[in-house]
Amino acid sequence: MSMFSIFGVSGSAISSQAQRLNVVASNLANADAVAGPDGQSYKARQVVFQTVPMGGQGDAGVKVQDITESEAPGRRVHDPYHPSADAEGYVTHSNVNPVEEMVNMMSASRSYQNNVEVMNTAKSLLLKTLQMGQ
């Protein structure tokens, strides 16, 4: 494994975690949404990662393979005066669980920070190696 491949591996992880953070932000923004223009309530989305060979021997990065929608039923609230209420007086909200999304956000944020730290450490090691030759 080349020292420079560390930047490619960490860069792929940073890019993937940034996309995960975008999905979490979208889920949290729609946590209290009732229905979209198509009449369907918002469904929580999750990022699926895939390992990707990075060229070198044993080098593996990560990429976003897919973004899936949760099939869990939406939260139903009895509110007969709401304009989106059904015949029984229930309003279906999105199936986003804000607690799970906060955990996902913290996990993605920590992973992002760790990969930035890996890149900073690799950079420092390369600089120290160059200084040894002076």
Side-chain angles (χ1 to χ4, degrees):
M1 175 187 268
S2 163
M3 277 296 285
F4 295 108
S5 66
I6 291 172
F7 296 108
V9 171
S10 290
S12 71
I14 286 172
S15 175
S16 298
Q17 294 299 337
Q19 196 164 354
R20 183 179 175 197
L21 281 170
N22 285 335
V23 169
V24 168
S26 176
N27 287 342
L28 285 173
N30 290 290
D32 290 329
V34 175
D38 58 352
Q40 300 291 320
S41 60
Y42 180 83
K43 294 181 179 180
R45 297 182 177 130
Q46 298 295 322
V47 174
V48 178
F49 293 122
Q50 178 183 19
T51 303
V52 178
M54 298 293 288
Q57 192 174 31
D59 299 351
V62 66
K63 74 172 190 175
V64 174
Q65 178 187 24
D66 195 14
I67 296 175
T68 61
E69 286 187 345
S70 171
E71 294 301 323
R75 183 173 43 94
R76 290 177 49 113
V77 176
H78 185 70
D79 187 3
Y81 300 109
H82 195 281
S84 299
D86 61 9
E88 298 173 353
Y90 284 95
V91 177
T92 304
H93 292 263
S94 70
N95 62 357
V96 174
N97 182 341
V99 175
E100 288 180 12
E101 296 304 323
M102 292 301 287
V103 170
N104 278 338
M105 182 178 69
M106 290 175 57
S107 174
S109 175
R110 296 291 169 117
S111 179
Y112 190 98
Q113 290 172 348
N114 288 338
N115 281 291
V116 168
E117 192 61 35
V118 165
M119 291 176 79
N120 282 333
T121 301
K123 183 184 84 175
S124 296
L125 289 172
L126 287 171
L127 286 173
K128 293 287 183 188
T129 302
L130 289 174
Q131 289 174 351
M132 286 174 51
Q134 294 178 350

